[in-house]
Structures are given as C-alpha cells and as structure tokens.
Amino acid sequence: MNDTSWRDRLFFACQWLLPSLLLSSVMHRIAESRTGWIKRGLIAGIMRHFRISLDDAQISDPRSFSSFNDFFTRALRSDARPLAAEPAILSPVDGSFSQLGKIHDGRIFQAKGHGYTSLELLGGQQDLAAHFAEGEFATIYLAPNNYHHIHLPIAGTLREWVYVPGRLFSVNPATVRACPRLFARNERLCMIYDTAVGPMAVVLVGALFVGSIETLATGRLTPPHGGRLRRETVADGSNVERGSEIGRFNMGSTVILLAGPGTLRWEGRLAAGSEIRMGEAIAQPLHR
C-alpha cells in the first residue's frame, strides 16, 4: 500500500491542471533568450536558490554566459570528473539514486507502492524489453544544481533509439512518490547500446520545464514536444568511448539505465538517496 503524504498528492494533483508541454516550450524560449536582464536575473536567482557553484566549470563568471540555457548546460573543466578505473561501469551523470536493483517479472520499482514495466518504459517495444527481462536497473535524478551533460557508462555502439511522447510531470522526489508509473508517462528518449555486457538502455526522461533533450545522435529532439512515437535504427553507429558525452538536458530530469540479467553487480555502497558524480563507479561487469 502506498503511504504518500497528502502534500505529495496535492502537489501532483496540481500538475494535472498545468499545460505542461506548453509551459516547457515557453521555458525553453526564455532559457534561450540573450536579453541581458532576463539571462542575468534567471542565472542569479537559480544560483542563489540552489547554491550553485561554478568552481569546476569551464566558465566561472556567471556574466559570461550567453543565455540562461548556456549557463544551465555549462561544460566542466577537463579534470573535474575523473573516470573510475577500468572495468568499472560509470555513473552517466551527476545526481542521486532514486532507486536501483533488479527488474522482477519485467517490473521496475519506482517508489513505495509504485512501479512500471520495462515494456512501458521502452514505448511498448517488446523485442527491446526482452533484453532486460529479470535484468538490472538504476534511476538517477538530476537536480537543478547538477551538471546536466550525460555520458556513456561503458564503451558501446548506439544501435537504435526510440522517442516516446508523453506528459511532462515534475520528476522531483515528491512526484516520484505520488505519481503511479511516472517514468512511463513522461516524454522520453530510449537509447540502446551494444556493449561488452550486452545491450544497455540509457533512457533520458523529460520533465516539467525541461526545455529540450539533445543528443549527439539525434540533435535537439525536443522541442517541439509531443507528436508520435519514433523508432530509428542507427545503421552505421560509431563506437562511443566509455565516459564520452552522449547528450544533455536543459533543466533537471532523470536518467534510467537498464542492463540484462547476470551482466553487472551494483556497488554495495549505493542505495536510494545516494549521491553520485559522473565518472564514479556504480557497478562492476560480470563475466558473460
């Protein structure tokens, strides 16, 4: 039984009334604005509210960013995120674990009383979901103060991707607790890589006010939001090195990793709520 608080339920209920796709598109336009007072006000407000530091960023002066989005998707110094030694599987992002563990009977645990299936997450693509039956998953939440570039946890080749249209609910902890099947409802991009441990899915989940999802393979995928489900095969997918950047979010969101059964072992120190940085070890590969 779910014991979500009334505050969480009320917060989620209010989101039903919002035109979330429209609001996110408007936020994207504001975030791209180069008007001085708009970008300076947004950057100053966000830095103050979320206590954001630019100590490890390539640009350390907040006045030097061309737009709020330029600030939000800021690059880091080359030495800011060292990669854990081989053969560890790396965290793809800075963030905190919402959940991680095994996929049981095709179901992924979201929060107490809530879950969803890998088939739902992958847009109903049964052949893709079959790779991850009884496999492993990790859900990592990116807060607004986190670094918002996404990197590949293990060397691989992009085989195909699936864009799944959906809502744009918030993905903060309160909504995760209150919204059934949250990550299977929200707009998302599912990227399938061939790796040394078998197929791995890197799922980029959109959220309220996430102005766009952008990857090196697809370019800027959103906005516009909505539309139809799209599945694209990458005929000549290039090899992507472990730790290489594959995409980015504008504003905070969530990344979900899926791996097949018997392919990896999560690091014992990790649990729901554990904070992580891109490049740190989150799992060890198992012999295939």
Side-chain angles (χ1 to χ4, degrees):
M1 180 178 178
N2 183 263
D3 58 358
T4 307
S5 73
W6 68 266
R7 291 183 178 86
D8 290 348
R9 292 194 297 271
L10 178 61
F11 178 67
F12 172 56
C14 290
Q15 294 181 56
W16 276 103
L17 305 176
L18 296 176
S20 58
L21 299 182
L22 175 61
L23 288 175
S24 295
S25 294
V26 170
M27 183 62 196
H28 173 67
R29 296 191 66 176
I30 294 173
E32 291 277 278
S33 173
R34 295 174 181 264
T35 303
W37 68 269
I38 293 178
K39 69 167 186 173
R40 288 193 300 270
L42 286 173
I43 292 171
I46 288 289
M47 288 190 68
R48 181 170 57 253
H49 183 75
F50 291 102
R51 300 180 181 178
I52 295 174
S53 170
L54 298 178
D55 290 347
D56 55 3
Q58 289 182 9
I59 298 175
S60 58
D61 181 359
R63 297 169 297 182
S64 297
F65 293 100
S66 62
S67 65
F68 177 74
N69 188 50
D70 187 33
F71 157 77
F72 211 89
T73 59
R74 60 195 175 275
L76 302 184
R77 300 191 322 267
S78 59
D79 61 347
R81 297 293 185 274
L83 304 184
E86 294 271 15
I89 294 171
L90 308 175
S91 174
V93 293
D94 286 11
S96 59
F97 281 94
S98 176
Q99 299 292 340
L100 77 163
K102 291 191 175 297
I103 301 171
H104 293 292
D105 296 326
R107 293 193 62 80
I108 298 171
F109 181 63
Q110 176 179 304
K112 189 171 182 180
H114 294 316
Y116 54 95
T117 68
S118 54
L119 180 62
E120 291 175 312
L121 182 68
L122 297 172
Q125 308 302 298
Q126 294 186 357
D127 58 325
L128 298 184
H131 292 302
F132 309 110
E134 308 305 315
E136 304 284 341
F137 81 97
T139 304
I140 307 175
Y141 168 65
L142 289 75
N145 61 313
N146 288 132
Y147 167 62
H148 277 72
H149 294 222
I150 303 149
H151 298 250
L152 196 60
I154 183 174
T157 302
L158 180 63
R159 184 175 74 197
E160 55 189 313
W161 56 267
V162 181
Y163 164 71
V164 187
R167 297 292 300 265
L168 285 175
F169 294 119
S170 170
V171 292
N172 68 8
T175 311
V176 170
R177 292 189 295 266
C179 176
R181 301 173 45 254
L182 172 62
F183 302 119
R185 292 173 184 255
N186 272 15
E187 178 181 72
R188 55 203 178 276
L189 173 65
C190 311
M191 307 179 74
I192 310 298
Y193 289 88
D194 288 326
T195 77
V197 298
M200 177 175 287
V202 183
V203 182
L204 284 57
V205 183
L208 184 64
F209 297 142
V210 174
S212 74
I213 295 174
E214 181 177 350
T215 75
L216 297 180
T218 65
R220 179 165 289 173
L221 192 65
T222 62
H225 301 285
R228 61 179 179 83
L229 185 144
R230 293 169 55 193
R231 180 172 177 176
E232 304 250 350
T233 299
V234 181
D236 299 312
S238 59
N239 295 326
V240 182
E241 294 183 2
R242 172 179 178 266
S244 294
E245 181 180 345
I246 59 173
R248 63 184 63 180
F249 283 122
N250 299 338
M251 305 295 282
S253 199
T254 291
V255 169
I256 301 173
L257 301 179
L258 303 181
T263 59
L264 57 82
R265 180 185 68 253
W266 300 113
E267 295 284 350
R269 73 183 189 283
L270 300 178
S274 297
E275 295 188 355
I276 196 75
R277 279 186 153 196
M278 193 286 291
E280 294 181 352
I282 60 172
Q284 296 296 328
L286 299 177
H287 178 72
R288 286 180 59 82

